């Protein structure tokens, strides 16, 4: 993430980077300012998950109360204590776990437990609508309204896991997934003459060539783009009908998504035996928030270099660095397992806990390593969720979080053994040497 100049209204000076780097009139130390930024990012990420749960009628007053308290702690001249802010970050991680569990409950009770599903990556002949973002509720409403119209609906980026839910994949015109991570949309949306619906964060300001066929709903607003309050998507449907039909054009790969906790646990005994027989040597969670930085190619190279007796779990848009790789299987257990969206990090946590129970060890004693790609906001919330569970030895990259300085990095390394990614081959050797 680029570091930006930010104007500090407390001391009327320009601070380089995220948070203060000068000690001005307010007396605030740079580390305190950065920890406040960290808490803001984590709380924003948690709020996004909570919004989607609330869309489906699920709320939690304890989470609401924490968000209020966390934001107040970042208010001008309220909390100057670095240790207190670190404790609040850990508590934010705990509350984010609760929020992700709430959202998972909302999704499963509304759409059913995800199940492994193959997803086409090309187009079928006919008018189309591309849905991007994270909102399953607007996708469901759009599918209802387009049923029987001849319009095909395609997911983009973090909407890919929608195909695994029985309550959504029952719609036969949910035709496939186009594109990869969020940052390809300006090229992708210009390429396909379809209507576009953005349901949440991770939408970019559109190019002129498709601005008139893009729509937003929910919290998102884009300049020059028509916004739809509520779930009446008639304007989107009319636009789709007015556009040229998409061609019949099969994709290069077929993706598989929908590996829920129950699916993985149904294989627990087989997985345990394969580990005990030495046929599975290590599990890796490789995913997170993808970025367009060339350094992010690390994650593709990392997975390509992994030994064939390893299993890769992946989630969030970081999965698009690896989910088109053909890794095969180990006696019927897929070597590449897509667990879903960024909010589905709770599934990874629950699987890790279940594996620890299965083998009678703590999570940190499992042959499991987390290798996470980094952006901000939701990623901050998820990182502190993992740290709140005292999960250690996480590899993080390709760049440092913007709010981290040397003092904060030392705390993360000393207390949680956070490691920065380096050379893929050397990192794998270090991990498997343990």
């Amino acid at each position: 993430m680029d570091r930006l100049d930010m104007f500090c209204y407390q001391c009327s000076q320009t601070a380089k980077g995220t948070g203060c780097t000068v000690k001005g009139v307010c007396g605030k130390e740079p580390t305190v300012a950065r920890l406040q930024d960290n808490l803001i990012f984590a709380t924003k990420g948690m709020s996004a998950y909570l919004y989607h749960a609330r869309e489906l009628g699920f709320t939690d007053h304890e989470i609401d109360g924490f968000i209020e308290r966390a934001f107040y702690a970042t208010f001008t001249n309220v909390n100057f204590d670095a240790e207190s802010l670190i404790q609040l970050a850990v508590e934010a991680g705990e509350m984010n776990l609760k929020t992700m569990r709430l959202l998972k409950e909302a999704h499963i009770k509304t759409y059913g437990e995800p199940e492994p599903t193959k997803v086409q990556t090309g187009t079928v002949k006919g008018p189309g609508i591309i849905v991007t973002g994270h909102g399953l509720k607007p996708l469901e409403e759009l599918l209802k309204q387009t049923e029987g119209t001849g319009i095909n609906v395609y997911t983009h980026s973090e909407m890919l896991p929608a195909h695994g839910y029985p309550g959504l994949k029952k719609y036969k015109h949910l035709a496939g997934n186009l594109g990869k991570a969020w940052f390809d949309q300006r090229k992708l949306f210009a390429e396909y003459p379809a209507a576009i619906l953005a349901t949440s964060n991770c939408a970019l300001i559109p190019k002129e060539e498709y601005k008139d066929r893009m729509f937003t709903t929910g919290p998102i607003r884009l300049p020059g783009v028509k916004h739809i309050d509520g779930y009446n998507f008639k304007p989107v449907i009319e636009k789709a009908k007015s556009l040229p039909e998409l061609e019949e054009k099969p994709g290069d790969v077929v993706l598989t998504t929908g590996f829920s906790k129950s699916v993985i646990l149904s294989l627990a005994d087989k997985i345990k035996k394969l580990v005990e027989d030495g046929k599975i040597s290590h599990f890796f969670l490789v995913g997170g928030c993808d970025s367009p930085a060339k350094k992010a190619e690390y994650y593709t190279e990392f997975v390509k270099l992994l030994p064939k007796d390893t299993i890769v779990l992946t989630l969030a848009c970081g999965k698009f660095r690896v989910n088109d790789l053909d890794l095969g299987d180990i006696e019927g257990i897929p070597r590449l397992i897509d667990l879903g969206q960024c909010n589905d990090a709770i599934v990874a946590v629950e699987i890790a806990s279940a594996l620890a129970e299965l083998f009678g060890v703590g999570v940190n004693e499992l042959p499991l390593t987390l290798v996470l790609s980094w952006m901000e906001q939701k990623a901050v919330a998820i990182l502190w969720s993992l740290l709140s569970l005292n999960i250690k030895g996480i590899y993080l990259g390709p760049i440092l979080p913007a709010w981290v300085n040397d003092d904060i990095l030392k705390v993360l390394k000393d207390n949680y053994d956070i490691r920065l990614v380096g050379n893929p081959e050397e990192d794998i050797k270090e991990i498997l040497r343990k």
Side-chain angles (χ1 to χ4, degrees):
M1 175 170 286
D2 291 333
R3 296 179 179 271
L4 306 175
D5 283 349
M6 299 182 66
F7 186 77
C8 180
Y9 292 96
Q10 295 173 341
C11 61
S12 300
Q13 298 187 58
T14 298
K16 197 75 173 172
T18 303
C20 296
T21 56
V22 294
K23 184 176 178 180
V25 174
C26 65
K28 189 185 294 183
E29 295 288 349
T31 295
V32 167
R34 286 170 177 268
L35 287 171
Q36 287 186 334
D37 289 338
N38 162 65
L39 188 56
I40 290 171
F41 289 145
T43 308
K44 287 166 67 177
M46 193 188 321
S47 297
Y49 299 143
L50 189 59
Y51 175 89
H52 292 301
R54 195 180 301 275
E55 266 191 310
L56 296 171
F58 289 72
T59 60
D60 188 293
H61 294 308
E62 185 183 7
I63 299 169
D64 295 340
F66 174 79
I67 289 174
E68 174 188 278
R69 185 156 53 89
F71 275 129
Y72 195 15
T74 64
F75 200 74
T76 304
N77 299 336
V78 169
N79 190 327
F80 290 81
D81 182 61
E83 186 174 344
S84 168
L85 289 166
I86 290 173
Q87 288 303 313
L88 274 169
V90 173
E91 192 176 349
E94 294 168 351
M95 281 296 124
N96 187 56
L97 286 170
K98 188 170 188 179
T99 307
M100 289 192 293
R101 288 190 185 102
L102 182 71
L103 181 54
K104 177 190 171 190
E105 179 187 8
H107 283 161
I108 290 176
K109 285 188 174 178
T110 306
Y111 305 117
E113 185 94 11
E115 52 196 26
T117 303
K118 294 190 180 300
V119 183
Q120 300 296 322
T121 57
T123 56
V124 294
K125 186 170 178 56
I129 299 173
I130 303 171
V131 183
T132 190
H134 304 75
L136 297 188
K137 172 68 173 176
L139 173 63
E140 177 194 24
E141 295 301 325
L142 179 67
L143 288 168
K144 288 178 182 176
Q145 293 169 41
T146 50
E147 194 169 23
T149 64
I151 295 173
N152 296 304
V153 176
Y154 302 86
T155 56
H156 170 250
S157 195
E158 288 277 54
M159 295 300 295
L160 169 64
H163 293 267
Y165 288 94
L168 295 174
K169 71 176 187 175
K170 68 181 182 181
Y171 294 97
K172 302 305 181 186
H173 62 299
L174 182 59
N177 185 81
L178 301 179
K180 296 189 175 185
W182 58 274
F183 54 82
D184 74 0
Q185 61 189 262
R186 285 167 63 84
K187 179 178 182 294
L188 180 84
F189 295 168
E191 179 181 349
Y192 292 98
I196 304 150
L197 179 64
T199 66
S200 74
N201 59 297
C202 294
L204 298 175
I205 294 176
K207 289 183 174 182
E208 287 296 328
E209 56 213 272
Y210 64 82
K211 182 188 291 185
D212 68 332
R213 51 186 173 87
M214 187 170 189
F215 301 81
T216 60
T217 189
I220 183 171
R221 304 289 192 282
L222 295 172
V225 171
K226 181 177 176 57
H227 183 76
I228 296 173
D229 289 317
Y231 303 106
N232 182 353
F233 296 124
K234 184 178 179 181
V236 188
I237 294 168
E238 290 178 345
K239 176 58 73 173
K241 289 179 176 177
S242 73
L243 295 168
E245 291 189 350
L246 298 180
E247 299 176 1
E248 183 81 26
K249 190 176 180 182
D252 295 330
V253 297
V254 175
L255 303 177
T256 303
T257 191
F259 288 93
S260 64
K261 174 188 172 183
S262 63
V263 171
I264 302 302
L265 293 189
S266 71
L267 302 170
D269 291 340
K270 185 171 185 179
I271 290 172
K272 184 179 182 182
K273 187 173 189 314
L274 288 171
V275 171
E276 290 173 344
D277 291 348
K279 295 179 180 179
I280 295 178
S281 67
H282 207 87
F283 298 87
F284 291 87
L285 175 62
V286 183
C289 292
D290 198 11
S291 79
K294 185 170 178 57
K295 290 180 180 179
E297 294 173 2
Y298 168 94
Y299 299 91
T300 309
E301 293 306 310
F302 184 93
V303 171
K304 284 181 176 179
L305 291 169
L306 288 175
K308 295 187 184 301
D309 61 355
T310 58
I311 299 287
V312 179
L313 309 172
T314 189
L315 52 73
C317 60
K319 67 173 164 279
F320 288 106
R321 292 284 175 180
V322 301
N323 69 344
D324 59 349
L325 299 177
D326 183 6
L327 300 186
D329 65 88
I330 301 175
E331 295 191 9
I333 304 295
R335 285 195 58 224
L336 183 61
I337 299 174
D338 175 10
L339 300 179
Q341 290 189 2
C342 55
N343 55 272
D344 293 314
I346 190 62
V347 178
V349 168
E350 291 173 346
I351 289 172
S353 298
L355 287 174
E357 184 176 345
L358 183 69
F359 289 102
V361 298
V363 171
N364 289 319
E365 283 70 55
L366 283 171
L368 168 67
T369 302
L370 279 61
V371 185
L372 305 181
S373 53
W374 185 262
M375 284 290 282
E376 292 290 349
Q377 296 173 140
K378 290 180 177 179
V380 183
I382 292 172
L383 175 63
W384 283 104
S385 289
L386 297 172
L387 299 184
S388 76
L389 295 169
N390 200 35
I391 294 176
K392 296 185 176 180
I394 297 171
Y395 282 72
L396 198 64
I399 56 176
L400 272 174
W403 44 269
V404 168
N405 63 8
D406 290 342
D407 290 338
I408 296 172
L409 182 59
K410 186 176 188 306
V411 170
L412 294 175
K413 284 183 173 180
D414 291 350
N415 290 278
Y416 301 105
D417 193 25
I418 287 286
R419 302 173 182 216
L420 304 182
V421 301
N423 174 276
E425 188 172 3
E426 293 303 315
D427 287 346
I428 291 169
K429 286 180 181 177
E430 179 185 352
I431 292 165
L432 297 180
R433 224 178 3 242
K434 298 174 188 175

